[in-house]
Amino acid sequence: MRICVYGASSEEIDPKYIAATEVLGEEMGRRAHSLVFGGGASGLMGAAARGMTAAGGKILGIAPSFFDVDGVLYDKCTDFIYTETMRERKFLLEENSDAFIISPGGIGTYEEFFEVLTLKQLGRHNKPIAIFNVGGYYDDLRTLLDKAVEGKFMKACCHELMAFFDEPKPMLDYLETCDTTRMTPEQMKYL
């Protein structure tokens, strides 16, 4: 399975996030999955890639060519695709992936998550989405989504479009066995 891992590029974050994401990358490699990611060498992007490298896994990096400066991109990718724009990068990350993991991150990671979630809600893909909730990082996101349901901004069944996990092994079990029965956009949206 080709798994896209979204996540922070910052090196200033708590080391617990980096350690957990390296373990995730190693477990993905042990299970013979391949990593699709934004190509970065630092933060959680780099952590996932280092874990995959340690396990001998295949890695596809995708990044705009303007990121190709010393030390920004991970140099041990099996394959690398350079794009002209961030928009093209996101499209290729989505197209080259069979599943998505949202590890802790900032604005860019939030945007990537909400895009793949929205596309799934609209029936444009039916790929599993897992949220790697290291140390409760995404607890507030879960609360926000619950509030959206309570206020009738989204239907409760939209929670079925994703799942939250604290550990890599059950998260990967979920991605490997996820029921891909599609709900229609009509079932998920207030029309």
Side-chain angles (χ1 to χ4, degrees), residues 7 60 152:
L60 171 60
K152 305 222 181 298

Side-chain angles (χ1 to χ4, degrees), residues 68-88:
D68 194 11
V69 295
D70 289 343
V72 171
L73 299 177
Y74 189 69
D75 62 0
K76 293 181 178 70
C77 292
T78 312
D79 293 297
F80 211 101
I81 298 172
Y82 290 97
T83 66
E84 291 299 314
T85 66
M86 292 292 282
R87 184 169 298 193
E88 183 184 4

Side-chain angles (χ1 to χ4, degrees), residues 100-102 113 117 120 128-133 142 158-166 170-171 174-175 178:
F100 303 98
I101 293 175
I102 317 304
F113 162 63
L117 180 65
K120 188 170 182 178
I129 301 170
I131 299 170
F132 193 21
N133 193 28
R142 190 186 325 227
C158 290
H159 283 300
E160 297 173 30
L161 300 175
M162 74 208 110
F164 288 77
F165 297 91
D166 299 328
M171 181 167 57
Y174 165 78
L175 294 180
C178 183

Side-chain angles (χ1 to χ4, degrees), residues 11 13-14 16 26 33 36 43 100 111 120 131 157 189:
E11 286 289 336
I13 60 179
D14 188 314
K16 72 181 178 187
E26 289 176 26
H33 297 302
V36 179
F100 303 98
E111 189 231 359
K120 188 170 182 178
I131 299 170
C157 64
K189 293 181 64 72

Side-chain angles (χ1 to χ4, degrees), residues 74-137:
Y74 189 69
D75 62 0
K76 293 181 178 70
C77 292
T78 312
D79 293 297
F80 211 101
I81 298 172
Y82 290 97
T83 66
E84 291 299 314
T85 66
M86 292 292 282
R87 184 169 298 193
E88 183 184 4
R89 174 200 207 187
K90 283 193 319 175
F91 173 77
L92 290 174
L93 286 167
E94 294 161 13
E95 289 295 307
N96 284 282
S97 301
D98 302 309
F100 303 98
I101 293 175
I102 317 304
S103 63
I107 293 170
T109 305
Y110 303 153
E111 189 231 359
E112 290 159 337
F113 162 63
F114 281 112
E115 179 162 322
V116 296
L117 180 65
T118 300
L119 291 172
K120 188 170 182 178
Q121 183 192 36
L122 294 172
R124 306 312 298 167
H125 75 80
N126 198 34
K127 301 172 185 180
I129 301 170
I131 299 170
F132 193 21
N133 193 28
V134 179
Y137 183 81

